Amino acid sequence: MRPEIRAGLLRWREVIVGLVFVALFAWWAASSYGVMRWIALTVTVIAVIFAFAAVQRARFSQGGGGFGAVEVDEGVVSFFSPLTGGQIEIDAISAVTLLPGPKGHAHWQLDAYGQSPLTIPLNAHGAEALFDVFVGLDGLETEKMLRDIKSNPDKPLVIWRKRTAVLH
């Protein structure tokens, strides 16, 4: 199998599995009666939701093979590379910025108050784990973020900023 086809299948494997489950349970719902039909319809709806989430996750993934490695463990995002690196607590993140890079190699910049920014290439090994971190941020618009990644901006683009209470 050609490497680019294999990489595409691996990237979209969750979507493929989700669609197989949707088709299987939709067929079950169409060919059954009574309570079994309602159970199959319920599971079909759940499978559609999981397939939609898998499509978003696949759109976020840049395929890996980039510089450095990302690890998300116990509420901390860590980035390791020979030249840079660092850690930031997920709860301390105050802003997420998409930074343009040379030849389309964009980076994430995670900011936290009192810390230096953590810069992570979009295609770093394990960077797909950042999807779960970003989706968990209050108020982040997932579809807008995915469109911004695809647009490959030419200037820094703030994806999310923590809302702060204004006292006056």
Side-chain angles (χ1 to χ4, degrees), residues 133-141 160-163:
V133 172
F134 294 163
V135 170
L137 297 173
D138 185 36
L140 184 127
E141 297 176 27
W160 176 84
R161 188 175 310 276
K162 184 181 268 187
R163 295 183 184 140

Side-chain angles (χ1 to χ4, degrees), residues 2-95:
R2 292 174 43 188
E4 58 271 9
I5 293 174
R6 178 182 163 92
L9 287 174
L10 286 175
R11 180 177 176 187
W12 292 91
R13 68 181 176 257
E14 291 179 9
V15 176
I16 294 167
V17 169
L19 292 176
V20 166
F21 274 93
V22 168
L24 177 68
F25 286 107
W27 173 76
W28 184 23
S31 63
S32 61
Y33 300 97
V35 174
M36 295 306 286
R37 173 175 278 170
W38 289 107
I39 291 171
L41 284 172
T42 303
V43 176
T44 302
V45 169
I46 293 170
V48 166
I49 293 168
F50 280 116
F52 178 74
V55 167
Q56 287 185 323
R57 184 181 303 278
R59 288 174 55 202
F60 180 83
S61 175
Q62 298 297 308
F67 190 68
V70 176
E71 182 180 275
V72 179
D73 189 29
E74 296 188 15
V76 176
V77 175
S78 304
F79 176 64
F80 309 102
S81 76
L83 302 176
T84 63
Q87 295 182 323
I88 191 167
E89 289 186 29
I90 294 170
D91 293 337
I93 295 174
S94 61

Side-chain angles (χ1 to χ4, degrees), residues 74-157:
E74 296 188 15
V76 176
V77 175
S78 304
F79 176 64
F80 309 102
S81 76
L83 302 176
T84 63
Q87 295 182 323
I88 191 167
E89 289 186 29
I90 294 170
D91 293 337
I93 295 174
S94 61
V96 176
T97 307
L98 184 60
L99 301 174
K103 300 178 188 172
H105 298 294
H107 291 71
W108 293 114
Q109 178 176 305
L110 307 180
D111 296 312
Y113 299 114
Q115 288 184 311
S116 59
L118 181 60
T119 305
I120 303 170
L122 260 64
N123 62 348
H125 177 73
E128 60 274 359
L130 293 174
F131 181 77
D132 295 325
V133 172
F134 294 163
V135 170
L137 297 173
D138 185 36
L140 184 127
E141 297 176 27
T142 307
E143 279 300 316
K144 182 181 178 308
M145 174 185 67
L146 295 173
R147 282 192 308 272
D148 291 341
I149 292 170
K150 188 173 182 169
S151 72
N152 200 7
D154 57 350
K155 61 182 179 187
L157 186 61

